[in-house]
Amino acid sequence: MATILAIETSCDDTSVAVVSDFKVLSNQVSSQTLHDQYGGIVPELASREHVKGIAQIADLALRQAHKTIQDIDAIAVTNGPGLAGSLLVGLHFAKGLCLRYAKPLFPINHIEAHIYSAYIEHSTLEFPSICLVVSGGHTSLVFIRSVDQFEIIGSTRDDAAGEAFDKTAKMMGLGYPGGPLIDALSRTGDPKKFHFPRGLSGSNAFDFSFSGLKTAVRLFLEKNEGTVRKNDVAASVQEAIVDVLVDKSIRAAHQYDVKTICIAGGVSANSRLREKLLVQCKRSKFNLLLPSLQYCVDNAAMIGFLAELRMQNGTQPSSLNVTVNPKPIRMTS
Amino acid sequence: MKILAVETSGSTCGVTISNGDLCSTIEIYEPHQQDAQLADCAIECLKHAKLSISEIDAIAISAGPGSFTGLRIGASFAKGLCYGLDLETAIPLVPISTLQSLADQAVVDEFSNHRIVATIPSHRNLTYIQYFDALGKPLTEVALVEVEKLANGVMYGDRVVGPGTQELVSCLHAIGRIIEVHTEHSWTVLSSRFVANTANKQHRAGTLVLMNAKDFVPDYKQEFEVVQKNIVES
Ligand SMILES: Nc1ncnc2c1ncn2[C@@H]1O[C@H](COP(=O)(O)OP(=O)(O)OP(=O)(O)O)[C@@H](O)[C@H]1O
């Protein structure tokens, strides 16, 4: 049992959380809105925002958790993957804290934290399981054996699912980020109105591909824009993306003989994905772990949670010369 | 006053502890070392000074201008070191202008009347520059100018300091302005010793500015202009 202060600054959200005995006592997230006007993230500006606000956000997290820094047993921090400049801010703030208060440091891989995030709200750890990680930068199916053993059994060969949402939304002139906008439009659209390709759906492997869908949507819009309802297009695009995600997850669960499926990453906020997974899991009698939205997006709670799991499992803290590791690594552990 | 000074605004990674006089310095003069080495430099430096971090009265930091990434590494680390939920537990931060810390190094004696020119290279052929009098009092604001323009502005007898020195001297030769300027090898690097030195000087003069580290932002000196290639789609 430990109390952990966790810091996450891998992209454009500054987040600090306090996790104690696997419970999230606070999870402060400050989202940067200044990037909206650019239609993407400006790394230099993101880094500047992190520096400006990091200590105040730590204050908020500690106050909300009714803890002081002396109550903290360990500091956990994301050290990759992500934007180098952003990661450096969180890591060095963490190093400073560790040195000042003589606390052990646990660097955590952001994607690994996502993989285990569905367990935050489920006290029993049901392993093995299949985890569908779907975010703006990643789309993978992961076979989780235990707290520190997992295997990526499939990944996207081109765009991530989040990118597929964002890019098609952009083509439709919807704005950024596109995922939530398509989700909202789809509620009043007909998902069967148009047919878009389901990439690699025939294949037995667990890899994904969304570039064909992107091209199909572009050609479709060139031909039909203005004569079709946006809601129907959105719903049909969403259906194509969701179908492959659900199909492959269910197939992986059967093949790897697990009883539990979980989802993680920003796209797992998608209402249609949740709905369809729920139905399919019920049919196949799989347990579905759906994290609440605050744990689907980038957040420090998942960093603290995984750090505590690892600590309990005997992982030793890192020395303070650990560096950021911005590039995603090919993870098989 | 026990000060721990941090220099990461350029290719130096250094920590100095001073107690009026300099007690210890651990410093690496090589680019791209800060991420891995800064914390260890601080640990070693404290060990040599036989002090624990809780005995430190203030953290001084090279506040810029300089490398954006370097400035942020130093600032984030300092914010962690200084951190306390309330002001009683927090260690105050002392931001020191990097150009001022360079200029104070070149103050030789009060009878000299040569100007001090502090230079820090930025991107492309741009250099940050600030002129000081012989005692280290700023004569101008910080400017970001092309090296050629800077070379045309220096005068006979100027003491040129900072990591931009070499480039400036080469440029003087290139444009045929063969004038005598004072340079010294030990003035061309950035050092946490200089930061500590300036903090001490300000302390003695009663001009030291202590601030809440939480509110600190580095002095980037440049608004960041967003161009298309700087945007990553997320
Ligand atoms: N309701 C939704 N439906 C579909 N997509 C969504 C929804 N909500 C968010 N998204 C998508 O989730 C993505 C953002 O997720 P997240 O914040 O986890 O990713 P990221 O931080 O950009 O990437 P990564 O974590 O891989 O570095 C965006 O692409 C966004 O469009």
Side-chain angles (χ1 to χ4, degrees):
Chain A
M1 180 172 166
T3 302
I4 292 161
L5 182 77
I7 299 159
E8 145 74 42
T9 60
S10 65
C11 194
D12 61 339
D13 294 324
T14 316
S15 179
V16 181
V18 177
V19 176
S20 185
D21 196 17
F22 301 105
K23 300 235 157 32
V24 178
L25 302 187
S26 63
N27 183 34
Q28 291 289 335
V29 183
S30 163
S31 297
Q32 304 176 0
T33 50
L34 82 178
H35 305 282
D36 296 355
Q37 56 183 308
Y38 303 114
I41 290 162
V42 185
E44 176 61 26
L45 296 183
S47 310
R48 289 186 182 196
E49 285 296 299
H50 287 307
V51 179
K52 204 195 271 176
I54 184 101
Q56 285 86 344
I57 292 157
D59 283 351
L60 290 175
L62 283 167
R63 290 231 161 82
Q64 193 194 347
H66 299 291
K67 298 281 178 197
T68 68
I69 189 96
Q70 281 83 3
D71 301 327
I72 299 295
D73 299 307
I75 312 272
V77 64
T78 310
N79 74 324
L83 300 170
S86 292
L87 290 164
L88 281 167
V89 174
L91 180 62
H92 282 82
F93 181 62
K95 287 184 183 186
L97 285 175
C98 288
L99 207 168
R100 168 84 189 280
Y101 292 100
K103 305 293 180 195
L105 179 68
F106 289 89
I108 295 290
N109 178 295
H110 177 86
I111 300 304
E112 291 185 25
H114 267 312
I115 291 174
Y116 290 92
S117 65
Y119 288 96
I120 296 177
E121 293 153 297
H122 300 269
S123 47
T124 51
L125 296 174
E126 294 135 359
F127 296 126
S129 62
I130 288 290
C131 179
L132 172 70
V133 185
V134 271
S135 68
H138 299 82
T139 298
S140 298
L141 272 170
V142 185
F143 172 51
I144 308 180
R145 269 181 242 273
S146 67
V147 167
D148 44 20
Q149 281 195 322
F150 60 88
E151 188 187 325
I152 308 238
I153 58 173
S155 287
T156 180
R157 295 187 183 167
D158 36 63
D159 291 342
E163 271 177 295
F165 275 108
D166 294 340
K167 288 180 180 174
T168 46
K170 197 170 178 181
M171 287 187 254
M172 294 170 65
L174 296 182
Y176 171 90
L181 300 167
I182 290 199
D183 195 349
L185 270 182
S186 299
R187 274 162 228 240
T188 49
D190 175 4
K192 295 211 174 72
K193 184 90 182 185
F194 309 107
H195 182 84
F196 292 109
R198 274 90 172 136
L200 300 178
S201 62
S203 131
N204 277 329
F206 297 113
D207 280 353
F208 300 91
S209 167
F210 295 104
S211 62
L213 169 70
K214 198 174 54 186
T215 312
V217 173
R218 183 171 50 79
L219 295 176
F220 175 86
L221 289 172
E222 277 169 16
K223 218 181 334 167
N224 303 303
E225 194 145 37
T227 63
V228 289
R229 281 179 73 232
K230 273 194 171 168
N231 311 49
D232 294 334
V233 181
S236 304
V237 168
Q238 174 173 278
E239 199 72 0
I241 299 172
V242 167
D243 273 350
V244 256
L245 296 176
V246 173
D247 282 357
K248 298 215 174 204
S249 304
I250 298 290
R251 206 135 40 73
H254 280 298
Q255 188 169 322
Y256 282 79
D257 198 20
V258 304
K259 293 195 176 58
T260 304
I261 295 180
C262 46
I263 56 175
V267 179
S268 57
N270 185 270
S271 55
R272 185 70 177 153
L273 176 62
R274 288 175 170 244
E275 189 183 315
K276 283 200 128 178
L277 264 179
L278 216 57
V279 171
Q280 291 293 328
C281 284
K282 204 170 239 167
R283 187 173 297 161
S284 302
K285 301 216 161 41
F286 292 130
N287 227 333
L288 180 65
L289 305 188
L290 286 173
S292 51
L293 296 189
Q294 62 164 326
Y295 302 128
C296 293
V297 294
D298 291 352
N299 69 92
M302 66 178 187
I303 305 299
F305 179 76
L306 182 56
E308 193 174 3
L309 281 180
R310 296 268 163 91
M311 281 170 79
Q312 193 189 41
N313 223 31
T315 301
Q316 291 303 304
S318 151
S319 68
L320 294 193
N321 58 18
V322 58
T323 59
V324 299
N325 188 1
K327 289 201 188 65
I329 36 162
R330 180 112 198 117
M331 286 173 306
T332 35
S333 72
Chain B
M1 182 171 197
K2 298 188 189 69
I3 295 175
L4 184 149
V6 176
E7 169 54 79
T8 55
S9 71
S11 49
T12 298
C13 169
V15 177
T16 288
I17 291 170
S18 98
N19 189 2
D21 282 329
L22 303 185
C23 303
S24 76
T25 295
I26 302 284
E27 209 148 72
I28 301 166
Y29 307 103
E30 206 188 312
H32 311 302
Q33 298 300 309
Q34 296 156 350
D35 186 11
Q37 306 291 346
L38 179 61
D40 281 353
C41 285
I43 292 170
E44 279 298 300
C45 199
L46 284 161
K47 209 189 279 170
H48 283 285
K50 296 196 172 55
L51 287 172
S52 84
I53 183 83
S54 54
E55 295 171 275
I56 297 294
D57 299 308
I59 308 281
I61 182 166
S62 172
S67 136
F68 296 161
T69 299
L71 289 171
R72 271 193 294 270
I73 290 178
S76 313
F77 184 61
K79 285 189 181 209
L81 283 181
C82 293
Y83 188 81
L85 250 190
D86 44 53
L87 282 176
E88 269 116 79
T89 47
I91 299 176
L93 187 78
V94 176
I96 298 289
S97 148
T98 309
L99 289 159
Q100 181 71 56
S101 82
L102 286 166
D104 284 336
Q105 254 345 83
V107 172
V108 205
D109 59 66
E110 56 200 284
F111 305 111
S112 156
N113 56 4
H114 295 301
R115 294 188 309 178
I116 298 168
V117 189
T119 64
I120 295 174
S122 179
H123 57 297
R124 279 179 269 126
N125 68 335
L126 294 172
T127 298
Y128 295 105
I129 175 181
Q130 191 173 18
Y131 287 96
F132 298 83
D133 72 11
L135 294 177
K137 196 168 132 274
L139 296 171
T140 62
E141 299 277 304
V142 178
L144 181 64
V145 298
E146 278 141 16
V147 187
E148 295 77 29
K149 195 167 158 210
L150 172 57
N152 280 311
V154 293
M155 297 189 305
Y156 174 81
D158 281 351
R159 296 176 190 283
V160 182
V161 293
T165 304
Q166 194 48 49
E167 223 178 318
L168 174 59
V169 172
S170 310
C171 188
L172 281 173
H173 286 282
I175 62 172
R177 282 197 75 201
I178 311 299
I179 55 167
E180 200 64 35
V181 293
H182 291 287
T183 63
E184 254 183 53
H185 182 63
S186 60
W187 294 349
T188 61
V189 291
L190 294 162
S191 173
S192 55
R193 276 178 294 124
F194 305 168
V195 178
N197 174 54
T198 294
N200 279 323
K201 187 175 163 185
Q202 294 179 353
H203 181 53
R204 284 193 298 271
T207 57
L208 193 72
V209 177
L210 296 173
M211 71 177 289
N212 185 343
K214 287 171 193 172
D215 300 327
F216 175 72
V217 284
D219 189 1
Y220 299 108
K221 278 284 180 286
Q222 290 181 58
E223 285 298 319
F224 189 72
E225 269 175 55
V226 180
V227 292
Q228 200 58 38
K229 75 169 177 12
N230 300 128
I231 303 171
V232 293
E233 290 190 28
S234 97

